[in-house]
Amino acid sequence: MLLQRLVEYSHRLDLPPPMYEEAPIKWLLDISRDGQFRAFVRTSGGEREDDRGRLFRAPHALATSGTVPKLLFGSCDYVLGLSRGRHEKASSRHEAFVQLTRQCFEKTGDDGLQAVVRFLDALDLSRIPIPEDLDPSDWVTFSVGGSVLFERDRISNFWLSYQEEKLTKGATVCECVLCGKMRKPVAIHPIKIKRIGGQPSGASIVSANAPAFMSYGLKQSFNAPTCLECADRYAKAANTLIRDDRTHLSIGSHVYIFWTREEAEFSVALLLSDPTPDKVKELLKSAFSGRAGTLQIDSTPFYAASLSPSGGRVAVRNWLGSTIGVAKRNLARFFRLQRLLGNDGQEDRPYGIFPLAAALFHDPRKEMPPNVLHSLLHFALQGGPLSHWLFFLAVKRCRAERAVTRPRAILLKMGLLSVPGNGLKEERMERLDPELTTPAYLCGRLFAVLENLQKTAVPRLAATLIDQFYGIASSAPASIFGKILRGSQAHLGKLRKTRPGVFTAIQQRIEEVVSKLPAFPPTLTLQEQGLFALGYYHQRAFDSAAARAYCKAKEREPAEPDGR
């Protein structure tokens, strides 16, 4: 399904001709129509040290360890027989290049090729002024009368026929699994998927290089018969998606690609990698406005896939087929569930996939398994409840680090609100909810109030309540809250004498929370531990925002007159 959709997508793209790919060519070898050398011409300015030349759509050949010439261009050892000391290898490569060029001329009769053949037959490097800055590894091609020869249609058609004959050798005509046409399948898919894993040359999605991958006696790629055109198209489409920041998301060794069947101004990759507030607001507005052209009628097919390296191949880890309307609705829900006020009392910037996933691990680069990102992406694009496993990881990390950070609080909020029937209201979970009387939530709030009391009374305390008791308070409140409340009396007594206004505010907050709590629960379930953490986060954010507001109000008060 993935490869078929990529072939469909390829027809919307301005792709190079079949068996052509973009290649950086540094030099044009300009020759006259009668085959005489005229000059070496640089294709680019060469200002940068790493300048490899201008990009051309040039003939592509499947790389192997042997001698594989490309049509009418290549490194200097192929084109000119010029090398750095390995003369025998350069000579054999140049000979293969000349034979291929002559074969193309015999098939096409192209007058420009005739000039190239004449030049190659009479080639004498001692009579050609080689530029000082020409390196034997530089790529060179021919220009005859101002025309780059491999760009001519008759030459590109020859190259396609030549490669098709080579790649389908030994194959019989059968139905292509992608286009359904009766054609000879290729033994090896010639275009590699790049930028996945550590192989610069890329890797194949379809490959059978061991007996375990073969079936019915079909070797190489014949067990998934694909014609050359489809093999060329799907790989080029995938590489186009991977190159564009709007259509791919790279996280670790995994690459996620996104596209739509028809042209659409909708980039999942940008939303999930860098979700600015403006972009998210625009998404929320379009997904739920009900106007024509938005969610309700947007049935344009939308696709997503996850790719990662697997040995020498590219593995498809996940596949999604949906519509833009459904994807927008689920993405809007994903960002709406992230609404959570920060310590300043304002809604903070929304998070992409990786910051949320990274909040679940001490060292995400080393510890994070791929399933975490898959689960979050699935939740963002396909909706449904947040994975129970991710919720568990968020609770576990809060206990391990004794810290309820905003990303973890968001994941806990997502987990609680994405499960129907729990009685929680989404709009009331963005901030402190004084009407929520669930014991676990109240215990979290009380823990935050008591911690604030301790920090206010003893500002430079090395180990606070959260450092000492968060784990047991969040899982078995009845066993520890009595002790904490008794210990808090000394802090209240100190504040009563030194800061009576602060004492009154904290005492009232404790009484407010405790009055709604008939008893401390003996134990808390996993869901209740998430509620505890969220109550703790809400209360801390509320108290911090109130303190900030109080300080600003004091700053705005006019100074008292000095009485003179």
Side-chain angles (χ1 to χ4, degrees), residues 249-256 272 306 318 334 352-358 360-361 364-365 368-381 389-390 393:
L249 187 63
S250 295
I251 304 178
S253 61
H254 285 67
V255 175
Y256 299 87
L272 292 179
S306 168
N318 207 350
F334 174 74
I353 289 287
F354 186 79
L356 289 174
L360 300 174
F361 301 92
R365 298 288 180 182
M368 187 191 303
N371 284 351
V372 171
L373 296 167
H374 292 325
S375 296
L376 266 178
L377 193 65
H378 184 281
F379 176 73
L381 293 177
W389 175 51
L390 294 184
L393 288 177

Side-chain angles (χ1 to χ4, degrees), residues 201-448:
S201 60
S204 297
I205 287 183
V206 179
S207 173
N209 55 0
F213 305 129
M214 301 174 189
S215 56
Y216 302 102
L218 298 173
K219 299 181 179 180
Q220 295 180 300
S221 297
F222 292 143
N223 58 2
T226 307
C227 68
L228 177 58
E229 181 182 357
C230 288
D232 181 275
R233 281 189 170 277
Y234 84 71
K236 287 177 179 176
N239 285 328
T240 300
L241 292 170
I242 293 169
R243 283 195 300 267
D244 193 337
D245 289 339
R246 297 170 300 173
T247 53
H248 94 280
L249 187 63
S250 295
I251 304 178
S253 61
H254 285 67
V255 175
Y256 299 87
I257 53 176
F258 313 94
W259 72 101
T260 55
R261 182 175 290 179
E262 287 88 34
E263 196 70 36
E265 290 295 325
F266 176 54
S267 174
V268 170
L270 292 180
L271 277 168
L272 292 179
S273 62
D274 183 24
T276 63
D278 289 342
K279 289 177 185 175
V280 172
K281 286 179 182 177
E282 185 180 343
L283 170 69
L284 294 172
K285 185 177 179 180
S286 68
F288 296 100
S289 65
R291 298 194 306 269
T294 57
L295 172 69
Q296 284 72 13
I297 60 173
D298 199 344
S299 58
T300 303
F302 164 80
Y303 308 110
S306 168
L307 309 175
S308 71
S310 177
R313 303 189 304 154
V314 173
V316 180
R317 301 296 183 184
N318 207 350
W319 160 253
L320 167 65
S322 184
T323 66
I324 289 181
V326 172
K328 277 188 174 182
R329 183 186 66 198
N330 290 329
L331 274 172
R333 170 180 177 256
F334 174 74
F335 287 112
R336 195 178 65 244
L337 288 174
Q338 289 195 35
R339 287 174 171 169
L340 193 65
L341 297 189
N343 292 336
D344 57 356
Q346 302 295 320
E347 185 179 341
D348 207 344
R349 183 186 178 97
Y351 291 109
I353 289 287
F354 186 79
L356 289 174
L360 300 174
F361 301 92
H362 173 67
D363 188 347
R365 298 288 180 182
K366 295 180 180 179
E367 300 173 4
M368 187 191 303
N371 284 351
V372 171
L373 296 167
H374 292 325
S375 296
L376 266 178
L377 193 65
H378 184 281
F379 176 73
L381 293 177
Q382 295 186 267
L386 183 73
S387 165
H388 189 74
W389 175 51
L390 294 184
F391 190 85
F392 166 73
L393 288 177
V395 170
K396 179 182 175 184
R397 184 47 45 187
C398 288
R399 292 187 62 177
E401 293 189 5
R402 296 179 292 281
V404 185
T405 61
R406 186 170 181 270
R408 289 174 205 146
I410 285 174
L411 287 168
L412 293 171
K413 178 174 178 268
M414 285 178 170
L416 291 167
L417 292 175
S418 63
V419 177
N422 56 17
L424 299 175
K425 296 181 180 179
E426 181 180 320
E427 65 277 5
R428 302 187 68 167
M429 296 300 289
E430 298 174 13
R431 56 178 62 82
L432 181 70
D433 184 1
E435 296 184 16
L436 183 58
T437 57
T438 304
Y441 185 77
L442 292 172
C443 286
R445 287 187 58 193
L446 181 59
F447 193 72

Side-chain angles (χ1 to χ4, degrees), residues 144-160:
V144 178
S147 172
V148 177
L149 298 182
F150 57 58
E151 294 177 340
R152 298 182 178 182
D153 289 342
R154 69 179 69 177
I155 292 177
S156 63
N157 290 335
F158 161 81
W159 185 241
L160 175 60

